[in-house]
Amino acid sequence: MRGTNPIKSIKMKYTFLLFFLILSNLSVFSSGAGQLPGDSSAIVLNRMIVRLYNKSNNEAIYALGSTSYQQLESAASLAKLMNGYLKKTGSIITDSLLYTCGKVSCFLWVGEKSNLRVKWFMSDPDHFDDYQIDDLIVQPSIGQRVTTDNPLFSPMDRIVQQNAQLYLQNPNTKALTIGILKNGKSSVYNYGETGKGNSMLPDTATRYLTGSIAKTFVSLMIAQAVIDGKVKLTADIRTYLPGTYPNLQFKGTAIRVVNLLNHTSGLPDSYPYPAGYNNWTTEQKYIYFESYTADSLANALHVIKPEFLPGSRYAYNSNVFHILILILEKVYNKPYEQILRPYLEKKFGMKHTGVTLRSDEAALLTTGYNATGNPLPKRTAMRAFRGGPSLFTTAADMLLYLQANLSEKNQAIKLTHKVTYRKDATESLGLAWMVTQSCSGEKRIYHSGKAGSGFLMFLTFYPERQEGIVIMVNETISQGRISALEQLLHQQLNEQSR
């Protein structure tokens, strides 16, 4: 009889213990969805990808992506991501199916050094349409101890604490704020510090950047302009732009305002850069973007044109929301900040959300960090007309925004939720908002945000449950992680309420 390899034995015992802890003690993966007929195909595909991942054969992994996936991401981008994860995890020792929800199958990857949750989105048994990777599972090391104002009194408190601890295992997360609105009652939980080493716990007045969630505010102002009779969603965008733009059409078909709002305009997601841009420093690039005005955008619009028939295909595009801001400034004849701030304060009591930080607000802004935990320069204005729009805000304001979206008493808000494009049987677009279903079949409306100066945010609400969740962090490790945290919180909050 051959002797047992002690290292392999320890790994096997550790793997079994880890899996038991995850499923039994934390209950973070119980979806209630059960296994569906597509599970076996997902298991085969996942196992194949694990073998390729361990060999760093990223070209072969990319080849397993569907045509639609390959239109979303380049082979180089996938290879960079996978190689980065492989350095952190080492080779994957075991992989296990955690749950299947519709076309999504979620797996636990246990590595030599660290572990991952990997989701594959599949519409056929041989290819993946998209994927999501995060580390929101128990890791071999316990992670950092973090200060919090969580009272740990109610079941909700304990659920938030459990999942926040999972998220905070990554030491590069400095500040985490979670806001929950359930049946009209708001709760806010804060963790960490607003800047490394300053021992200042964030609170409801702490300023974070929204990243792309700012698109939903642009759509709200456009919806109000529709109600005011100043804009039509079906109108040619050139109706509202200064000058003439014969290039802004595709074979005679105009780009409509709604096409900008639901990412079906066909316009390129980037405009020409100046010569030598790729060799500029980060600071030089910031200066360039901050000096990119409405006039700069208007000039760029003369040289770009749609790449496909407007309205025929979804292609996420951040830059076009600045065209919508340009339209708003023209029809209201005032700067966007002067349109947005007074509206939010008057309609919803949101006093601290805007394009710029006032002098008394600047000190309340958290320090943003990149994915490796290095601080980034603080910015006090987001006026640039290039890249994705962003806003400064607080947890208190975002909970007011959630309440307004859940109640739909405001007609402009209600209009933004109206489906304007269907990606597939389960995913649709409103006016900027993503509209889909949870695993239990409930309507789910959401948007995520990433700000280049060091922030991530996730905002979701479930109209049928009258529940909303906002998560704000001052790091840019992964949008998949913050999305996973929201889904775990929603799942467990509703399991607890049954």
Side-chain angles (χ1 to χ4, degrees):
M1 181 175 178
R2 294 181 181 178
T4 304
N5 182 326
I7 295 176
K8 184 176 181 181
S9 178
I10 290 170
K11 285 181 178 177
M12 290 177 67
K13 290 177 180 177
Y14 162 72
T15 300
F16 176 80
L17 178 61
L18 171 67
F19 195 57
F20 177 79
L21 284 172
I22 290 171
L23 295 181
S24 302
N25 296 345
L26 293 181
S27 301
V28 296
F29 299 116
S30 174
S31 70
Q35 293 191 355
L36 299 181
D39 289 355
S40 58
S41 299
I43 290 169
V44 171
L45 182 73
N46 177 75
R47 195 140 296 168
M48 189 183 305
I49 291 173
V50 167
R51 288 198 295 269
L52 296 171
Y53 173 88
N54 286 342
K55 295 176 182 178
S56 295
N57 191 346
N58 296 307
E59 288 185 8
I61 295 176
Y62 189 76
L64 292 171
S66 66
T67 301
S68 62
Y69 159 71
Q70 292 178 1
Q71 291 174 345
L72 295 173
E73 185 173 33
S74 67
S77 174
L78 176 123
K80 181 179 179 181
L81 186 72
M82 291 298 183
N83 286 333
Y85 276 120
L86 185 59
K87 289 178 183 178
K88 296 176 183 177
T89 63
S91 293
I92 300 304
I93 303 164
T94 63
D95 61 283
S96 307
L97 177 68
L98 297 173
Y99 66 83
T100 296
C101 175
K103 67 177 183 178
V104 181
S105 293
C106 183
F107 292 84
L108 167 65
W109 287 11
V110 176
E112 294 173 316
K113 295 184 289 185
S114 65
N115 314 308
L116 298 172
R117 270 195 348 160
V118 183
K119 290 182 181 178
W120 300 110
F121 297 74
M122 299 170 59
S123 55
D124 75 66
D126 301 316
H127 302 88
F128 63 88
D129 299 314
D130 205 350
Y131 64 92
Q132 186 181 90
I133 303 175
D134 66 72
D135 62 358
L136 290 193
I137 59 173
V138 173
Q139 298 294 343
S141 58
I142 60 171
Q144 57 184 341
R145 297 177 66 86
V146 180
T147 305
T148 180
D149 57 10
N150 189 332
L152 295 173
F153 178 74
S154 70
M156 180 188 289
D157 298 344
R158 292 189 287 273
I159 287 170
V160 170
Q161 180 74 4
Q162 173 180 294
N163 289 289
Q165 284 178 323
L166 284 176
Y167 194 91
L168 292 164
Q169 286 178 122
N170 192 313
N172 292 330
T173 300
K174 308 305 177 189
L176 165 66
T177 294
I178 297 172
I180 298 174
L181 178 66
K182 199 163 178 65
N183 298 321
K185 181 181 178 182
S186 298
S187 302
V188 178
Y189 304 87
N190 298 286
Y191 293 84
E193 52 190 2
T194 59
K196 185 177 180 180
N198 70 6
S199 300
M200 294 178 61
L201 184 70
D203 58 29
T204 56
T206 298
R207 268 52 174 188
Y208 288 87
L209 275 165
T210 64
S212 288
I213 290 171
K215 294 181 176 71
T216 69
F217 288 87
V218 176
S219 78
L220 172 61
M221 292 297 92
I222 289 288
Q224 187 59 52
V226 169
I227 291 169
D228 291 344
K230 294 181 177 292
V231 171
K232 290 183 178 180
L233 293 178
T234 56
D236 184 332
I237 62 171
R238 293 174 292 186
T239 305
Y240 309 106
L241 295 176
T244 57
Y245 300 87
N247 53 302
L248 294 182
Q249 52 84 30
F250 185 89
K251 297 181 179 180
T253 299
I255 302 168
R256 311 293 178 183
V257 173
V258 70
N259 300 143
L260 301 181
L261 289 159
N262 63 19
H263 303 282
T264 63
S265 69
L267 289 172
D269 63 0
S270 185
Y271 309 146
Y273 287 101
Y277 175 86
N278 290 335
N279 298 320
W280 291 0
T281 65
T282 300
E283 188 61 27
Q284 286 174 317
K285 290 177 180 178
Y286 270 124
I287 292 170
Y288 168 72
F289 276 94
E290 288 179 349
S291 63
Y292 201 89
T293 64
D295 289 338
S296 306
L297 174 60
N299 290 333
L301 291 179
H302 286 290
V303 298
I304 64 171
K305 58 184 179 180
E307 298 169 344
F308 57 82
L309 184 70
S312 67
R313 178 152 55 92
Y314 169 86
Y316 191 84
N317 192 321
S318 290
N319 271 305
V320 298
F321 278 76
H322 291 298
I323 303 175
L324 291 163
I325 291 173
L326 196 64
I327 290 171
L328 285 166
E329 293 193 340
K330 183 174 183 295
V331 300
Y332 283 108
N333 196 31
K334 61 179 68 173
Y336 179 58
E337 176 84 328
Q338 294 178 24
I339 301 168
L340 180 68
R341 276 247 194 193
Y343 184 90
L344 296 179
E345 184 168 352
K346 179 181 178 181
K347 298 291 185 179
F348 315 124
M350 297 171 62
K351 300 179 180 180
H352 307 296
T353 299
V355 175
T356 61
L357 285 174
R358 296 165 178 160
S359 57
D360 60 328
E361 297 174 324
L364 299 171
L365 177 65
T366 52
T367 301
Y369 293 85
N370 64 16
T372 56
N374 295 316
L376 296 170
K378 285 189 175 184
R379 307 288 163 178
T380 57
M382 292 289 140
R383 297 194 190 97
F385 273 77
R386 185 161 185 160
S390 191
L391 297 171
F392 298 96
T393 192
T394 65
D397 268 17
M398 294 309 284
L399 285 166
L400 290 171
Y401 189 48
L402 278 173
Q403 181 62 66
N405 276 278
L406 282 170
S407 72
E408 288 192 337
K409 292 179 181 178
N410 179 282
Q411 291 305 302
I413 285 250
K414 187 174 183 178
L415 180 57
T416 65
H417 300 166
K418 183 179 179 181
V419 170
T420 59
Y421 182 80
R422 295 191 184 278
K423 289 174 65 179
D424 56 38
T426 60
E427 287 191 85
S428 302
L429 275 294
L431 300 184
W433 288 106
M434 313 295 176
V435 184
T436 185
Q437 289 183 336
S438 67
C439 280
S440 55
E442 299 163 319
K443 188 175 184 180
R444 177 176 182 253
I445 302 178
Y446 73 95
H447 211 293
S448 62
K450 178 180 180 180
S453 50
F455 298 84
L456 292 174
M457 189 176 294
F458 206 90
L459 189 72
T460 313
F461 54 98
Y462 302 84
E464 293 157 29
R465 285 193 176 271
Q466 284 297 293
E467 175 190 301
I469 298 173
V470 60
I471 303 172
M472 315 162 84
V473 294
N474 62 343
E475 43 89 344
T476 53
I477 298 168
S478 165
Q479 286 181 300
R481 295 182 78 242
I482 197 168
S483 170
L485 177 57
E486 183 278 322
Q487 290 177 54
L488 291 174
L489 286 169
H490 168 68
Q491 173 193 318
Q492 292 177 36
L493 286 171
N494 287 291
E495 286 176 353
Q496 176 267 322
S497 64
R498 289 192 188 116

